[in-house]
Coordinates of all heavy atoms in Angstrom, one line a residue:
M1352 N 96.9 89.9 93.3 CA 96.7 89.9 94.8 C 97.6 90.9 95.4 O 98.8 91.0 94.9 CB 97.0 88.5 95.3 CG 97.1 88.5 96.8 SD 97.5 87.0 97.7 CE 97.9 85.8 96.6
A1353 N 97.1 91.7 96.3 CA 97.9 92.7 97.0 C 98.3 92.2 98.4 O 97.5 91.6 99.1 CB 97.2 94.0 97.1
Q1354 N 99.6 92.4 98.7 CA 100.0 92.0 100.1 C 100.9 93.1 100.6 O 101.4 93.9 99.9 CB 100.8 90.7 100.0 CG 100.1 89.5 99.5 CD 101.0 88.3 99.4 OE1 102.1 88.4 99.1 NE2 100.4 87.1 99.7
N1355 N 101.1 93.1 101.9 CA 102.0 94.0 102.6 C 101.7 95.5 102.3 O 102.6 96.3 102.2 CB 103.5 93.7 102.2 CG 103.9 92.3 102.5 OD1 103.6 91.7 103.5 ND2 104.6 91.7 101.5
M1356 N 100.4 95.8 102.3 CA 100.0 97.2 102.1 C 100.3 98.0 103.3 O 100.1 97.6 104.4 CB 98.5 97.3 101.8 CG 98.1 98.7 101.5 SD 96.4 98.8 100.9 CE 96.8 99.0 99.2
K1357 N 100.9 99.2 103.0 CA 101.1 100.1 104.1 C 101.0 101.6 103.6 O 101.1 101.8 102.4 CB 102.5 99.9 104.7 CG 103.7 100.1 103.7 CD 105.0 99.7 104.4 CE 106.1 99.6 103.3 NZ 107.3 99.2 103.8
A1358 N 100.7 102.5 104.5 CA 100.6 103.9 104.3 C 101.8 104.5 104.9 O 102.1 104.3 106.1 CB 99.3 104.5 104.8
V1359 N 102.5 105.4 104.2 CA 103.7 106.0 104.7 C 103.5 107.5 104.5 O 103.1 108.0 103.5 CB 105.0 105.6 103.9 CG1 106.2 106.3 104.4 CG2 105.1 104.1 103.9
L1360 N 103.9 108.3 105.5 CA 103.8 109.7 105.5 C 105.1 110.3 104.8 O 106.2 110.0 105.2 CB 103.7 110.3 106.9 CG 103.4 111.8 107.0 CD1 102.1 112.1 106.4 CD2 103.4 112.2 108.5
S1361 N 104.9 111.1 103.8 CA 106.1 111.6 103.0 C 106.6 112.9 103.7 O 105.9 113.4 104.7 CB 105.7 112.0 101.6 OG 104.8 113.1 101.6
E1362 N 107.7 113.4 103.3 CA 108.3 114.6 103.9 C 107.4 115.8 103.8 O 107.4 116.7 104.6 CB 109.6 114.9 103.2 CG 110.7 113.9 103.6 CD 112.0 114.2 102.9 OE1 112.2 115.3 102.4 OE2 112.9 113.3 102.9
D1363 N 106.6 115.9 102.7 CA 105.7 117.0 102.5 C 104.3 116.8 103.2 O 103.4 117.7 103.1 CB 105.5 117.3 101.1 CG 104.7 116.2 100.3 OD1 104.3 115.3 101.0 OD2 104.5 116.4 99.1
G1364 N 104.2 115.7 104.0 CA 103.0 115.5 104.8 C 101.9 114.7 104.0 O 100.8 114.5 104.6
S1365 N 102.1 114.3 102.8 CA 101.1 113.6 102.1 C 101.3 112.1 102.4 O 102.3 111.7 102.8 CB 101.2 113.8 100.6 OG 102.5 113.5 100.1
N1366 N 100.3 111.3 102.1 CA 100.3 109.9 102.4 C 100.7 109.1 101.1 O 100.3 109.5 100.0 CB 98.9 109.3 102.8 CG 98.6 109.8 104.2 OD1 99.4 109.6 105.1 ND2 97.4 110.3 104.4
I1367 N 101.5 108.1 101.2 CA 101.9 107.3 100.1 C 101.5 105.9 100.5 O 101.8 105.3 101.5 CB 103.5 107.3 99.9 CG1 104.0 108.7 99.7 CG2 103.9 106.4 98.8 CD1 105.5 108.8 99.7
L1368 N 100.7 105.3 99.6 CA 100.3 103.9 99.7 C 101.3 103.0 99.0 O 101.6 103.3 97.8 CB 98.9 103.6 99.2 CG 97.8 104.4 99.8 CD1 96.5 104.1 99.1 CD2 97.6 104.1 101.3
K1369 N 101.8 101.9 99.6 CA 102.7 101.0 99.0 C 102.2 99.6 99.2 O 101.7 99.3 100.3 CB 104.1 101.2 99.5 CG 104.8 102.5 99.1 CD 106.2 102.5 99.6 CE 106.8 103.8 99.2 NZ 108.3 103.8 99.5
W1370 N 102.4 98.7 98.2 CA 102.0 97.3 98.4 C 102.8 96.5 97.4 O 103.2 96.9 96.3 CB 100.5 97.1 98.3 CG 99.9 97.5 96.9 CD1 99.7 96.6 95.9 CD2 99.6 98.8 96.4 NE1 99.2 97.2 94.8 CE2 99.1 98.6 95.1 CE3 99.6 100.0 97.0 CZ2 98.6 99.6 94.4 CZ3 99.1 101.1 96.2 CH2 98.6 100.9 94.9
D1371 N 102.9 95.2 97.7 CA 103.4 94.2 96.8 C 102.2 93.6 96.0 O 101.2 93.3 96.5 CB 104.0 93.0 97.5 CG 105.3 93.4 98.4 OD1 105.9 94.4 98.0 OD2 105.5 92.8 99.4
F1372 N 102.4 93.6 94.7 CA 101.3 93.1 93.8 C 101.8 91.9 93.0 O 102.9 91.9 92.5 CB 101.0 94.3 92.8 CG 99.9 93.9 91.8 CD1 98.6 93.7 92.2 CD2 100.3 93.6 90.5 CE1 97.7 93.3 91.2 CE2 99.4 93.3 89.6 CZ 98.1 93.1 89.9
Y1373 N 100.9 90.9 93.0 CA 101.2 89.7 92.3 C 100.0 89.3 91.4 O 98.9 89.1 92.0 CB 101.5 88.6 93.3 CG 101.8 87.2 92.7 CD1 103.0 87.0 92.0 CD2 100.9 86.2 92.8 CE1 103.3 85.8 91.5 CE2 101.1 85.0 92.2 CZ 102.3 84.8 91.6 OH 102.6 83.6 91.0
D1374 N 100.2 89.2 90.1 CA 99.1 88.8 89.2 C 99.6 87.6 88.4 O 100.2 87.8 87.3 CB 98.8 90.0 88.3 CG 97.7 89.8 87.3 OD1 97.0 88.8 87.5 OD2 97.6 90.5 86.3
K1375 N 99.3 86.4 88.9 CA 99.9 85.2 88.3 C 99.6 85.1 86.8 O 100.5 84.7 86.1 CB 99.3 84.0 89.1 CG 99.7 82.7 88.6 CD 99.1 81.6 89.4 CE 98.3 80.6 88.5 NZ 97.6 79.6 89.1
D1376 N 98.4 85.4 86.4 CA 98.1 85.2 85.0 C 98.2 86.5 84.2 O 97.8 86.5 83.0 CB 96.6 84.7 84.9 CG 96.5 83.3 85.6 OD1 97.4 82.5 85.5 OD2 95.5 83.1 86.3
A1377 N 98.7 87.6 84.7 CA 98.8 88.9 84.0 C 97.5 89.3 83.4 O 97.5 89.8 82.3 CB 99.9 88.8 83.0
R1378 N 96.4 89.3 84.2 CA 95.1 89.6 83.7 C 94.7 91.0 84.1 O 93.7 91.5 83.6 CB 94.1 88.6 84.1 CG 94.4 87.2 83.6 CD 93.6 86.2 84.1 NE 92.4 86.1 83.3 CZ 91.3 85.4 83.6 NH1 91.3 84.6 84.6 NH2 90.3 85.3 82.8
I1379 N 95.4 91.6 85.1 CA 94.9 92.9 85.6 C 95.7 94.0 84.9 O 97.0 94.0 84.9 CB 95.1 92.9 87.1 CG1 94.2 91.9 87.7 CG2 94.8 94.3 87.7 CD1 94.4 91.7 89.2
S1380 N 95.0 95.1 84.4 CA 95.7 96.2 83.8 C 95.9 97.4 84.7 O 96.7 98.2 84.5 CB 94.8 96.6 82.6 OG 94.7 95.6 81.7
Y1381 N 95.0 97.6 85.6 CA 95.1 98.7 86.6 C 94.4 98.3 87.9 O 93.6 97.4 88.0 CB 94.4 100.0 86.0 CG 93.0 99.8 85.7 CD1 92.0 100.1 86.6 CD2 92.5 99.4 84.4 CE1 90.7 99.9 86.4 CE2 91.2 99.2 84.1 CZ 90.3 99.5 85.1 OH 88.9 99.4 84.8
I1382 N 94.7 99.1 88.9 CA 94.0 99.0 90.2 C 93.4 100.3 90.6 O 94.0 101.4 90.5 CB 95.1 98.6 91.3 CG1 95.7 97.3 91.0 CG2 94.5 98.6 92.7 CD1 96.9 96.9 91.8
D1383 N 92.1 100.3 91.0 CA 91.4 101.5 91.4 C 91.8 101.8 92.9 O 91.8 100.9 93.7 CB 89.9 101.3 91.3 CG 89.3 101.3 89.9 OD1 90.0 101.8 89.0 OD2 88.2 100.7 89.7
I1384 N 92.0 103.0 93.1 CA 92.2 103.5 94.5 C 90.9 104.3 94.9 O 90.4 105.2 94.2 CB 93.4 104.5 94.6 CG1 94.7 103.9 94.0 CG2 93.6 105.0 96.0 CD1 95.2 102.7 94.8
E1385 N 90.3 103.9 96.0 CA 89.1 104.4 96.5 C 89.3 105.0 97.9 O 90.2 104.5 98.7 CB 88.0 103.4 96.5 CG 87.6 102.9 95.1 CD 86.5 101.9 95.1 OE1 86.3 101.2 96.2 OE2 85.9 101.7 94.1
K1386 N 88.5 105.9 98.3 CA 88.5 106.4 99.7 C 87.1 106.6 100.3 O 86.1 106.6 99.5 CB 89.2 107.8 99.8 CG 88.4 108.9 99.3 CD 89.1 110.2 99.5 CE 88.2 111.4 99.2 NZ 88.8 112.7 99.6
S1387 N 87.1 106.6 101.6 CA 85.8 106.7 102.3 C 86.2 107.5 103.6 O 87.2 107.2 104.2 CB 85.2 105.4 102.6 OG 84.0 105.5 103.4
E1388 N 85.3 108.4 104.0 CA 85.5 109.2 105.2 C 84.3 109.2 106.1 O 83.2 109.4 105.6 CB 85.9 110.6 104.8 CG 87.1 110.8 104.1 CD 87.5 112.3 103.8 OE1 87.1 113.1 104.6 OE2 88.1 112.5 102.7
V1389 N 84.5 108.9 107.4 CA 83.5 109.0 108.4 C 83.0 110.4 108.4 O 83.8 111.3 108.4 CB 83.9 108.5 109.8 CG1 82.9 108.8 110.8 CG2 84.3 107.0 109.7
G1390 N 81.7 110.6 108.4 CA 81.1 111.9 108.4 C 80.7 112.4 107.1 O 79.9 113.4 107.0
S1391 N 81.2 111.8 106.0 CA 80.7 112.2 104.7 C 79.4 111.6 104.4 O 78.9 110.7 105.1 CB 81.8 111.8 103.6 OG 81.9 110.5 103.6
A1392 N 78.7 112.1 103.3 CA 77.4 111.5 102.9 C 77.4 110.0 102.9 O 78.2 109.4 102.2 CB 76.9 112.1 101.6
G1393 N 76.5 109.4 103.6 CA 76.4 107.9 103.6 C 77.3 107.3 104.7 O 77.3 106.1 104.9
N1394 N 78.2 108.1 105.3 CA 79.1 107.6 106.3 C 79.0 108.4 107.6 O 80.0 108.7 108.2 CB 80.5 107.7 105.8 CG 80.8 106.9 104.6 OD1 80.4 105.8 104.5 ND2 81.5 107.5 103.6
E1395 N 77.8 108.6 108.1 CA 77.6 109.5 109.2 C 78.0 108.8 110.6 O 78.3 109.5 111.5 CB 76.1 109.9 109.4 CG 75.6 110.9 108.3 CD 75.3 110.3 107.0 OE1 75.2 109.0 106.9 OE2 75.3 111.0 106.0
C1396 N 78.0 107.5 110.6 CA 78.5 106.9 111.9 C 79.5 105.8 111.6 O 79.6 105.3 110.5 CB 77.3 106.3 112.6 SG 76.5 104.9 111.8
K1397 N 80.3 105.5 112.6 CA 81.4 104.5 112.3 C 80.9 103.1 112.0 O 81.6 102.3 111.4 CB 82.3 104.5 113.5 CG 81.7 103.9 114.8 CD 82.8 103.8 115.9 CE 82.1 103.1 117.1 NZ 83.1 102.7 118.0
D1398 N 79.7 102.8 112.4 CA 79.1 101.4 112.1 C 78.2 101.4 110.9 O 77.7 100.3 110.6 CB 78.4 100.9 113.4 CG 79.3 100.7 114.6 OD1 80.5 100.3 114.3 OD2 78.9 101.0 115.7
C1399 N 78.0 102.5 110.3 CA 77.2 102.6 109.1 C 77.9 101.9 107.9 O 79.1 101.9 107.8 CB 76.9 104.0 108.7 SG 75.9 104.9 109.9
P1400 N 77.2 101.4 107.0 CA 77.8 100.9 105.7 C 78.6 102.0 105.1 O 78.1 103.1 105.0 CB 76.7 100.4 104.9 CG 75.5 100.2 105.8 CD 75.7 101.1 106.9
R1401 N 79.7 101.8 104.6 CA 80.6 102.8 104.0 C 80.3 103.0 102.5 O 80.0 102.1 101.8 CB 82.0 102.5 104.2 CG 82.5 102.3 105.6 CD 82.4 103.5 106.5 NE 83.2 104.6 106.5 CZ 84.5 104.7 106.9 NH1 85.1 103.6 107.3 NH2 85.1 105.8 106.9
T1402 N 80.4 104.2 102.0 CA 80.4 104.5 100.6 C 81.8 104.9 100.2 O 82.5 105.5 101.0 CB 79.4 105.7 100.3 OG1 79.8 106.8 101.0 CG2 78.0 105.3 100.6
F1403 N 82.2 104.5 99.0 CA 83.6 104.8 98.6 C 83.6 105.6 97.3 O 82.6 105.4 96.5 CB 84.3 103.5 98.4 CG 84.7 102.7 99.6 CD1 83.7 101.9 100.2 CD2 85.9 102.9 100.3 CE1 84.0 101.2 101.4 CE2 86.2 102.3 101.5 CZ 85.2 101.4 102.0
E1404 N 84.6 106.4 97.1 CA 84.7 107.2 95.9 C 86.0 106.9 95.3 O 87.1 106.9 95.9 CB 84.7 108.7 96.3 CG 85.0 109.7 95.3 CD 85.2 111.1 95.8 OE1 85.1 111.3 97.0 OE2 85.5 111.9 95.0
R1405 N 86.0 106.6 94.0 CA 87.3 106.3 93.3 C 88.0 107.6 93.1 O 87.5 108.6 92.6 CB 87.0 105.7 91.9 CG 88.3 105.3 91.2 CD 88.2 104.5 90.0 NE 87.6 105.3 88.9 CZ 87.2 104.9 87.8 NH1 87.2 103.6 87.5 NH2 86.8 105.7 86.9
I1406 N 89.3 107.6 93.5 CA 90.1 108.8 93.4 C 91.3 108.7 92.4 O 91.9 109.7 92.0 CB 90.6 109.3 94.7 CG1 91.5 108.2 95.4 CG2 89.5 109.7 95.6 CD1 92.2 108.6 96.7
A1407 N 91.5 107.4 92.0 CA 92.7 107.3 91.0 C 92.6 105.8 90.5 O 92.0 105.0 91.0 CB 94.0 107.5 91.7
Q1408 N 93.4 105.6 89.4 CA 93.7 104.3 88.9 C 95.2 104.2 88.8 O 95.9 105.1 88.3 CB 93.1 104.1 87.5 CG 91.6 103.9 87.6 CD 91.1 103.5 86.2 OE1 91.7 103.8 85.2 NE2 89.9 102.9 86.2
V1409 N 95.8 103.1 89.2 CA 97.2 102.8 89.1 C 97.4 101.8 88.1 O 96.9 100.7 88.2 CB 97.8 102.3 90.5 CG1 99.2 101.9 90.3 CG2 97.6 103.3 91.6
P1410 N 98.1 102.1 87.0 CA 98.4 101.1 85.9 C 99.3 100.0 86.4 O 100.2 100.3 87.2 CB 99.0 101.9 84.8 CG 99.5 103.1 85.4 CD 98.7 103.4 86.7
V1411 N 99.1 98.8 86.0 CA 100.0 97.7 86.3 C 100.9 97.5 85.2 O 100.5 97.0 84.1 CB 99.2 96.4 86.6 CG1 100.1 95.3 86.9 CG2 98.2 96.7 87.8
K1412 N 102.2 97.9 85.3 CA 103.1 97.8 84.2 C 103.8 96.5 84.2 O 104.2 96.0 85.2 CB 104.2 98.9 84.3 CG 103.5 100.3 84.3 CD 104.6 101.4 84.5 CE 103.9 102.7 84.4 NZ 104.8 103.8 84.8
R1413 N 103.9 95.9 83.0 CA 104.5 94.6 82.9 C 105.9 94.7 82.2 O 106.6 93.7 82.0 CB 103.7 93.6 82.1 CG 102.3 93.5 82.7 CD 101.5 92.4 82.1 NE 100.1 92.5 82.4 CZ 99.5 92.6 83.5 NH1 100.2 92.6 84.6 NH2 98.2 92.6 83.7
I1414 N 106.3 95.8 81.9 CA 107.6 96.0 81.2 C 108.7 95.6 82.1 O 108.8 96.0 83.2 CB 107.8 97.5 80.7 CG1 106.7 97.9 79.8 CG2 109.1 97.7 80.1 CD1 106.6 99.3 79.5
G1415 N 109.6 94.7 81.6 CA 110.8 94.3 82.3 C 110.6 93.2 83.4 O 111.5 93.0 84.2
R1416 N 109.4 92.6 83.4 CA 109.2 91.5 84.4 C 108.4 90.4 83.7 O 107.7 90.7 82.8 CB 108.6 92.0 85.7 CG 107.2 92.4 85.6 CD 106.6 92.9 86.9 NE 105.3 93.4 86.8 CZ 104.2 92.7 87.1 NH1 104.3 91.5 87.5 NH2 103.0 93.3 86.9
K1417 N 108.6 89.3 84.2 CA 107.9 88.1 83.6 C 106.6 87.9 84.2 O 106.3 88.3 85.4 CB 108.8 86.9 83.8 CG 110.1 86.9 83.2 CD 110.9 85.7 83.5 CE 112.3 85.8 82.9 NZ 113.2 84.8 83.4
I1418 N 105.7 87.3 83.5 CA 104.4 86.9 84.1 C 104.6 86.0 85.3 O 105.4 85.1 85.3 CB 103.5 86.2 83.0 CG1 103.1 87.1 81.9 CG2 102.2 85.6 83.7 CD1 102.4 86.5 80.8
G1419 N 103.9 86.4 86.4 CA 104.0 85.6 87.6 C 104.9 86.2 88.6 O 105.0 85.8 89.8
E1420 N 105.7 87.2 88.2 CA 106.6 87.9 89.2 C 105.8 88.9 89.9 O 104.9 89.6 89.4 CB 107.8 88.5 88.5 CG 108.8 87.6 87.9 CD 110.0 88.3 87.3 OE1 109.8 89.4 86.8 OE2 111.0 87.6 87.2
S1421 N 106.2 89.2 91.2 CA 105.6 90.2 92.0 C 106.2 91.6 91.6 O 107.3 91.7 91.0 CB 105.8 90.0 93.5 OG 107.1 90.1 93.8
N1422 N 105.5 92.6 92.0 CA 105.9 94.0 91.6 C 105.5 94.9 92.8 O 104.5 94.6 93.5 CB 105.2 94.5 90.4 CG 105.8 95.7 89.8 OD1 106.9 96.1 90.1 ND2 105.1 96.3 88.9
I1423 N 106.3 95.9 93.1 CA 106.0 96.8 94.2 C 105.3 98.0 93.5 O 105.8 98.6 92.6 CB 107.2 97.3 94.9 CG1 107.9 96.1 95.6 CG2 106.8 98.4 95.9 CD1 109.2 96.4 96.3
L1424 N 104.1 98.3 93.9 CA 103.3 99.4 93.4 C 103.1 100.5 94.5 O 103.1 100.2 95.7 CB 101.9 99.0 92.9 CG 101.9 97.9 91.8 CD1 100.5 97.5 91.4 CD2 102.6 98.5 90.5
S1425 N 102.9 101.7 94.1 CA 102.6 102.8 95.0 C 101.7 103.8 94.4 O 101.5 103.9 93.2 CB 103.9 103.4 95.5 OG 104.6 104.0 94.4
F1426 N 101.0 104.6 95.3 CA 100.2 105.7 94.9 C 100.5 106.9 95.8 O 100.5 106.7 97.0 CB 98.7 105.3 95.1 CG 97.7 106.4 94.9 CD1 97.5 106.9 93.6 CD2 97.1 106.9 96.0 CE1 96.6 108.0 93.5 CE2 96.2 108.0 95.8 CZ 96.0 108.5 94.6
Y1427 N 100.7 108.0 95.3 CA 101.1 109.2 96.0 C 99.9 110.2 96.1 O 99.2 110.4 95.1 CB 102.2 110.0 95.4 CG 103.5 109.2 95.3 CD1 103.7 108.2 94.3 CD2 104.5 109.4 96.3 CE1 104.9 107.5 94.3 CE2 105.6 108.6 96.2 CZ 105.8 107.7 95.2 OH 107.0 107.0 95.2

């Protein structure tokens, strides 16, 4: 489960996504990051159903923490 997700602007102007991640049973190996833009193919209007494109995968590392503990993840 992801909680407290936020986007932060870095010093170089890029966006950083940060969130708290909790996987009680340690069953998740990675999280897909997807994006969608209004005006792109399939997204011509703000009320149209959105299409998403996977742009990255964030591995969920378990080293140094116990099953059931939360972890802070980020994507640059």
Side-chain angles (χ1 to χ4, degrees):
M1352 171 181 5
Q1354 296 178 328
N1355 303 320
M1356 180 170 262
K1357 59 184 169 183
V1359 179
L1360 189 61
S1361 70
E1362 291 180 16
D1363 67 2
S1365 60
N1366 290 308
I1367 302 171
L1368 300 177
K1369 292 185 177 188
W1370 64 96
D1371 296 331
F1372 176 73
Y1373 179 73
D1374 180 17
K1375 180 179 124 185
D1376 299 319
R1378 299 174 86 185
I1379 298 173
S1380 300
Y1381 62 88
I1382 296 173
D1383 286 338
I1384 305 294
E1385 298 180 337
K1386 75 173 186 173
S1387 179
E1388 295 182 32
V1389 173
S1391 61
N1394 298 317
E1395 288 80 16
C1396 68
K1397 69 176 184 166
D1398 296 324
C1399 295
R1401 302 300 283 286
T1402 57
F1403 291 86
E1404 171 189 0
R1405 185 173 71 190
I1406 58 172
Q1408 284 186 338
V1409 175
V1411 176
K1412 298 178 183 173
R1413 300 191 200 306
I1414 299 170
R1416 68 181 174 99
K1417 298 176 186 173
I1418 291 175
E1420 289 183 333
S1421 65
N1422 195 17
I1423 297 173
L1424 298 178
S1425 61
F1426 172 73
Y1427 298 82

